[in-house]
Amino acid sequence: MGNGVQMAALTSAQAAGKRRGMPLAFVIARYFVYSFVAVGITWVAAFMLLSSAINTGYVVEASWGPANARAVATELMDADSLEPVDIPTSYRYLIVDASGRTVATDLEGAQLGHAAEAADAALGAQSEDIAIEGGGGGLTFASFSVTRGGACVLVSEYLPQWASRDLAETLPNPQNIMFVIGIAGSALALALVAHRASRVISRKMRPLADAAVRIGQEELDFPVGRTNVREVNDILAAMDAMRSSLAESLDARWQAERAQREQMASLAHDLKTPLTVLRANADFVAEELECDEAPCEGDRGDIAAAARDIAVSAERLDGYVRLLIEASHGAGSAAKAPVSPAELCRHVVLEAEPVARARGIELTSSIQPDVAGAPDALLDRTMLARAVSNLVSNAVEHARSRVEISCMLDDGSLVIEVGDDGAGFSPAALEHGCERLFTDDSSRSTTGGERHYGLGLFGAAEAARAHGGSITLANRIDAHGAVLGATATMRLPLSA
């Protein structure tokens, strides 16, 4: 896919994501609301717990001490004996004797100093007087003289207090407990909301994490998931475009590597043909030279022809080796250029002659006159020559005595037909003979016991397909149904 197509796919995917799902800001705001509500509920619960303790009598409300200071002072003023246990828990106190010496107190610091001044004033006042004054910071001081001598100062603070002195001495102030419960409950509520938010966000991000893991493992054939969050969908759409682009890139790389391997295998296979010619002609020359008799004029001609075939085959072998080296370096060897169909046909016939002579097979060829008048076409001459050479080698190996090459034009295509008088193709070969690595053709036994690798016809078919053409396999049948031989036909469109 080109960059324009990739960008179009990405834009389309992002637009689709924006049309569906809620904004991420809404998801975050929702959990902020949850947090505020949870904290509010926690503090309401703490306040209600304090109110319940007040209603059941375990706690005295905050206003009780200041509001009832005069009544409590009046009651304590006439007591036979004034002890700390007689003073309600809503008050802190200072009790002094007639000389002003401290008898009992739970005050300290500035409060104690203020209470001592109030006690001195109460000792010098009328016995029935009760002085109530504010001490700042929500404190109320009620000072009075005691009938049996001495004075007392009650200090009340605008705070709820425990009704039981035992609880007051062992537990913190009820309001402080309420604050602790509120703070701890708020922290717990926020932790629960955060845990819930993390699970939800993790679930919404899971398609993104899954896609990243699968792409990292080069597993690219899968649909990228979607969520109900727009921004996450935008990222998923971008990742899906990246996955598609990466899949196409890797597929192109794998295809290129496969094509390189197949090209090298085909070139290595094609080395067999010139090597066969070299070996056969070298053997022939060696036998002639080892003969005791001097070669006659005809034998000299045969030796010269064999030498020429050796030279031509060596040149072809050198070309194949160069192509093999280029293929191993990843360089493309296919190069189409204007080629005359007639020149191509003559070239393949010339290359076929040494192959047939090396096997002792008669080669006949025919190039119809209309081929000579065909205009040049964009063809890869080297590739097509190798392809036809594979067809010829296959025919020569299975022929009994004769191979034919015919070139003609048919409906704007160049048709090169290679036939032999061998046993013909088996039904399996007629259907699968041009497939890679197919070797199961029992009807066409090889000569010389050579091993086949299923690459010759496949390479020829690939060359034809690279030019928009094809190769068909068929058997020649006589009137009685007997197989006269096999035919491989290459059809190459000249207008492509």
Side-chain angles (χ1 to χ4, degrees), residues 12-234:
S12 175
Q14 288 178 337
K18 290 181 179 178
R19 287 193 295 269
R20 290 188 291 270
M22 68 181 75
L24 182 61
F26 178 81
V27 177
I28 297 174
R30 183 175 64 183
Y31 285 100
F32 271 112
V33 172
Y34 290 166
S35 299
F36 284 126
V37 171
V39 170
I41 292 174
T42 299
W43 282 101
V44 169
F47 181 78
M48 291 181 64
L49 182 62
L50 178 60
S51 298
S52 177
I54 293 173
N55 293 334
T56 56
Y58 286 98
V59 175
V60 179
E61 61 185 6
S63 63
W64 190 89
N68 293 279
R70 186 173 296 278
V72 173
T74 301
E75 182 179 349
L76 295 177
M77 182 183 299
D78 297 327
D80 293 339
S81 62
L82 183 58
E83 300 292 338
V85 295
D86 299 326
I87 300 174
T89 56
S90 294
Y91 303 96
R92 303 182 74 179
Y93 56 88
L94 170 63
I95 301 174
V96 300
D97 58 15
S99 63
R101 185 173 57 85
T102 299
V103 176
T105 185
D106 59 358
L107 297 171
E108 56 186 14
Q111 291 184 11
L112 179 58
H114 193 158
E117 293 176 0
D120 291 341
L123 288 174
Q126 298 288 334
S127 60
E128 299 295 331
D129 289 344
I130 300 175
I132 299 178
E133 60 180 343
L139 297 177
T140 300
F141 289 80
S143 57
F144 56 92
S145 60
V146 181
T147 304
R148 295 189 176 276
C152 178
V153 180
L154 301 178
V155 181
S156 60
E157 189 174 5
Y158 200 82
L159 287 175
Q161 301 291 340
W162 294 106
S164 169
R165 183 163 295 278
D166 291 337
L167 293 177
E169 292 176 352
T170 57
L171 295 177
N173 184 275
Q175 182 171 287
N176 293 338
I177 294 179
M178 182 191 73
F179 283 135
V180 170
I181 292 175
I183 293 172
S186 297
L188 178 61
L190 290 175
L192 292 176
V193 172
H195 178 68
R196 170 65 179 171
S198 67
R199 291 186 60 185
V200 171
I201 293 176
S202 296
R203 186 170 65 248
K204 296 182 185 302
M205 298 293 287
R206 189 172 299 129
L208 184 61
D210 292 343
V213 170
R214 297 178 75 172
I215 290 175
Q217 296 173 347
E218 295 189 0
E219 180 184 349
L220 303 176
D221 187 16
F222 69 94
V224 176
R226 289 290 182 267
T227 68
N228 61 345
V229 180
R230 293 180 188 176
E231 289 78 1
V232 177
N233 281 340
D234 290 344

Side-chain angles (χ1 to χ4, degrees), residues 260-261 263-264 267 322-333:
Q260 182 184 11
R261 289 194 300 270
Q263 184 183 16
M264 293 181 65
L267 285 168
R322 284 199 304 270
L323 290 175
L324 192 60
I325 293 173
E326 291 176 2
S328 68
H329 292 165
S333 60

Side-chain angles (χ1 to χ4, degrees), residues 231-248:
E231 289 78 1
V232 177
N233 281 340
D234 290 344
I235 299 174
L236 288 171
M239 182 164 286
D240 191 38
M242 180 186 71
R243 175 200 63 78
S244 178
S245 176
L246 185 59
E248 292 175 1

Side-chain angles (χ1 to χ4, degrees), residues 400 419-425 444 474-477 482-487:
R400 293 187 178 93
D420 63 64
D421 60 352
F425 291 109
R444 290 169 67 81
N475 288 329
R476 293 186 292 114
I477 309 295
V483 176
L484 300 178
T487 301

